[in-house]
Amino acid sequence: MLIDGQIALVTGGGSGLGAATARQLAAKGAKVAILDFDIDRASAVAAEIGGIAVQADVSDEAAVSAAIDSAVAQLGGVPRIAVSCAGIGMAARIVGREGKLSFDVFEKTLKVNLFGTYNVMSHAARRMAELEPMADGERGIIINTASVAFEDGQLGQAAYAASKGAIASMCLPAARELAQSGIRVMAIAPGLFQTPMMEGLPPEISAKNTANIPFPTRLGAPEEYALLAEQIVTNPFLNGTTIRLDGAVRLPPR
């Protein structure tokens, strides 16, 4: 799909991977709607790229539907490109000190990461399916964000790994289902990237993780995620799979 002239929806576009993706798509000529819980950050990025910002909690199904309707009304059309970058990275042991359980962390992580991604994919796909197909029959592309933790989850990442593993696992069945509507579904599994989530880690943990990246031995740049998203959009034969973007890293147990 050619990006120029298309309408794109990016969740979590107020910072990190989402902001880089919104900038990349806009630079290639897309009209971009940023959907984010933090409307101030989203508005700042939208103003920078000539897009729009819509506030919503992706874990709220009704809010996602209303937000996409708002984006459609403001941009004058249904997005053919939807990229889900919204997510959280809470860490907790399954059974912590003194037997403390962490179901609250598990529940919130899945609501935002997994249910949020599913909500956006569902509502975007329903609207895309009503569009006229392009010359090659394609109506849209949905890109979801998993994580290398879906295969390499570390100690304390049971909730995060479960949420990202589900995103990776639903990629193929979603692509198979939506193929009849000419909609592709892909997932990107980033490794260790320079994002607000990583910046919240203690320096010694960040340094240890970075040292495990074979090459290049550094954190990934959000712009590199955005570049892969662009390449997925423009390559029509990419469908139904999860791509690791990680510098060949395999995370250690802790």
Side-chain angles (χ1 to χ4, degrees):
M1 181 190 301
L2 293 176
I3 296 173
D4 188 32
Q6 304 296 351
I7 296 174
L9 173 73
V10 180
T11 73
S15 62
L17 305 180
T21 301
R23 293 185 180 105
Q24 184 76 9
L25 293 174
K28 295 299 178 179
K31 294 188 289 184
V32 181
I34 296 173
L35 193 159
D36 202 298
F37 187 75
D38 188 333
I39 190 61
D40 292 334
R41 285 188 174 185
S43 296
V45 176
E48 174 191 333
I49 65 174
I52 65 165
V54 184
Q55 196 278 336
D57 175 355
V58 293
S59 69
D60 184 331
E61 188 266 340
V64 169
S65 181
I68 295 179
D69 282 344
S70 176
V72 169
Q74 292 184 64
L75 294 179
V78 172
R80 287 192 187 269
I81 302 166
V83 186
S84 283
C85 295
I88 57 175
M90 302 170 71
R93 291 174 182 254
I94 298 169
V95 181
R97 293 177 180 175
E98 300 177 357
K100 183 181 184 302
L101 303 183
S102 58
F103 181 79
D104 56 335
V105 172
F106 191 87
E107 182 178 42
K108 183 172 182 178
T109 301
L110 264 68
K111 279 185 174 180
V112 175
N113 293 356
L114 176 57
F115 294 0
T117 297
Y118 190 85
N119 285 338
V120 173
M121 178 172 66
S122 300
H123 284 285
R126 180 168 65 83
R127 290 162 177 81
M128 287 177 185
E130 298 172 353
L131 292 170
E132 286 296 317
M134 293 180 287
D136 59 357
E138 187 172 19
R139 285 188 171 89
I141 168 69
I142 295 168
I143 302 173
N144 296 326
T145 303
S147 164
V148 295
F150 92 94
E151 292 182 321
D152 309 341
Q154 295 180 292
L155 187 151
Q157 284 190 335
Y160 185 72
S163 70
K164 296 302 187 176
I167 290 171
S169 293
M170 73 180 179
C171 182
L172 180 57
R176 286 172 164 169
E177 175 184 337
L178 297 177
Q180 62 189 344
S181 298
I183 299 169
R184 293 184 290 127
V185 181
M186 287 287 293
I188 300 174
L192 302 170
F193 272 67
Q194 190 66 53
T195 64
M197 193 178 296
M198 280 294 296
E199 290 165 2
L201 294 176
E204 63 275 13
I205 299 298
S206 181
K208 180 180 178 182
N209 285 335
T210 302
N212 286 321
I213 304 173
F215 186 81
T217 308
R218 59 169 174 78
L219 297 177
E223 293 76 16
E224 290 166 326
Y225 174 98
L227 179 60
L228 180 55
E230 176 199 340
Q231 292 165 340
I232 289 171
V233 173
T234 57
N235 188 330
F237 211 58
L238 283 172
N239 194 15
T241 195
T242 300
I243 300 175
R244 286 184 66 127
L245 183 65
D246 59 16
V249 74
R250 296 298 181 267
L251 301 181
R254 63 172 73 203

